Amino acid sequence: MTQENQPEKKFRAGSISATVWLNHGQSKTGETTKFRTISIQRGYKDKDDKWQNTTSMRVNDLPRAALVLTKAFEYLVTQGEGSVPGGINLQEEIVM
């Protein structure tokens, strides 16, 4: 029996949400590894008044999308996921 992957953290601003997922995988050397991914979506009611989700954003959704993505980014940096290629540690760049 496999357990469905549950969100680690969710950030919401109105109908826009960004969800942080903790994933498990294997590195090229076969070692077990963990990594996080982000999904973003907008909730809306369809013609039958039922809630649906989409990854498409409208122009007025963009400020809220930027906000939840910024919060997700801050969360990832505090969880130690702040390194990017080139050796720049984003956590050190943010904390002054």
Side-chain angles (χ1 to χ4, degrees), residues 10-13 15-21 37-43 53-57 61-70 72:
K10 194 168 205 172
F11 301 93
R12 182 176 297 279
S15 62
I16 309 301
S17 64
T19 305
V20 178
W21 301 90
T37 57
I38 305 297
S39 62
I40 185 166
Q41 62 185 11
R42 174 176 58 89
N53 292 304
T54 183
T55 56
S56 297
M57 303 289 152
D61 297 325
L62 297 180
R64 288 186 174 133
L67 177 62
V68 296
L69 286 172
T70 297

Side-chain angles (χ1 to χ4, degrees), residues 45-85:
K45 283 194 175 182
D46 66 13
K47 62 183 178 182
D48 298 322
D49 207 36
K50 293 184 181 177
W51 282 102
Q52 304 291 330
N53 292 304
T54 183
T55 56
S56 297
M57 303 289 152
R58 299 171 299 199
V59 68
N60 291 338
D61 297 325
L62 297 180
R64 288 186 174 133
L67 177 62
V68 296
L69 286 172
T70 297
K71 292 297 182 185
F73 175 75
E74 290 172 355
Y75 176 78
L76 291 176
V77 169
T78 62
Q79 297 302 306
E81 303 252 347
S83 295
V84 296

